[in-house]
Amino acid sequence: AKAVGRNTLRFFDPEMQAVVTSRAALEAGLRRAVTSDEFLLYYQAQVDGQGHLTGCEALLRWQHPERGLVAPGEFIALAEDTGLILPLGRWVLDAACTQLAQWATRPEMAHLTVAVNVSVRQFHQADFVNQVLTVLDSTGTNPQRLKLELTESLLIGDVEDVIAKMSILKEKGVGFSLDDFGTGYSSLSYLKRLPLDQLKIDQGFVRNILIDPNDAAIARMVIALGDSLGLAVIAEGVEIEAQRDFLARLGCHACQGYLFCRPLPLDQFEAFVRRV
Ligand code: C2E
Ligand code: CA
Ligand code: CA
Ligand code: CA
């Protein structure tokens, strides 16, 4: 099948596939892509308890010249291994803030927040805080509109440094979510000390929440933890109404998932916002 267009995935014959997916080819491709503008952001809606759109998550896509649209699962790990995540992460921050600044001029878009995924290696750069402040400043973006999604694996490193960096950004108004919560290294005592705003229930717990009592118990625990720490809780990967309703009964009202909207390219996301 060889469909063309920016939203469609293209498939090649297996031989070709083997060539392009080899690690070396992927790395070379990534290197080229970082300098030749092959990345773009998709946006996925985040809704609150009233079903109102509060913002979106920016999700990276690679518009590969031969393979078509490539999802981050295929290249983020390699980008982290090779260090290419550093220029790539900068690009994402810059692109998200540029978009926020543009939306700020449009009444129907101006209230939205954009959540950006930050990888551990990116966050641990000595000048990470400066990078964020510089891009906020140069794009003229209101820091309150920017949210950074961090993962628990950050806590394996220098926690004091993590807290210090987060605190500076937090003071400027930048928000923080702990992504994929419950899947990684968690120390509840550290959790209390991080200047977080939100926990995200990983989609791995949401997927079978209606049939697996263990997943339901974990979701319940994350929600209770959020309550007692004064943090908002959002569930990701919500695909059907019954999952949303179950989570709402547990006390989690904020949601993100295919039920509301798939990750969409800019023009389609803007059209979605106009419709809701
Ligand atoms: P994530 O941060 O946990 O993002 C959520 C993933 O779940 C996204 O996959 C999204 O498309 C997908 N998703 C959203 N709603 C649903 C749903 O209802 N059902 C299902 N089955 N999936 C849903 P995506 O876009 O392929 O991104 C995968 C991961 O790649 C992200 O997981 C994140 O860890 C990473 N990533 C994406 N963009 C960036 C980025 O700009 N920088 C970094 N460092 N990592 C990124
Ligand atoms: Ca995320
Ligand atoms: Ca997540
Ligand atoms: Ca995830």
Side-chain angles (χ1 to χ4, degrees), residues 130-245:
N130 240 336
Q131 280 180 35
V132 177
L133 296 179
T134 303
V135 74
L136 284 169
D137 199 55
S138 67
T139 55
T141 300
N142 177 355
Q144 312 252 25
R145 298 273 103 83
L146 180 66
K147 299 208 274 179
L148 300 181
E149 296 201 352
L150 309 177
T151 56
E152 292 161 276
S153 40
L154 208 60
L155 300 173
I156 297 166
D158 182 348
V159 180
E160 299 306 325
D161 181 64
V162 171
I163 294 171
K165 283 175 166 164
M166 287 175 73
S167 302
I168 299 170
L169 291 171
K170 172 96 175 182
E171 201 164 302
K172 300 285 179 187
V174 175
F176 287 97
S177 301
L178 199 53
D179 205 356
D180 306 337
F181 185 63
T183 62
Y185 171 94
S186 359
S187 161
L188 298 182
S189 57
Y190 285 144
L191 195 62
K192 198 179 62 180
R193 297 186 54 213
L194 297 180
L196 287 166
D197 301 277
Q198 180 174 258
L199 301 176
K200 283 191 96 167
I201 302 176
D202 188 65
Q203 57 179 278
F205 303 120
V206 174
R207 192 172 300 122
N208 294 321
I209 199 166
L210 300 172
I211 50 172
D212 187 335
N214 294 324
D215 288 343
I218 290 168
R220 190 177 286 114
M221 183 215 66
V222 176
I223 293 159
L225 195 61
D227 278 348
S228 61
L229 294 175
L231 304 174
V233 178
I234 184 169
E236 67 178 10
V238 177
E239 295 184 352
I240 57 173
E241 283 174 12
Q243 289 168 333
R244 179 198 57 196
D245 296 345

Side-chain angles (χ1 to χ4, degrees), residues 23-49:
R23 197 183 148 96
L26 189 62
E27 184 178 341
L30 260 184
R31 250 175 232 293
R32 180 204 61 228
V34 169
T35 52
S36 63
D37 220 25
E38 292 174 20
F39 291 103
L40 72 163
L41 294 180
Y42 270 39
Y43 301 90
Q44 185 180 35
Q46 298 181 325
V47 300
D48 68 12

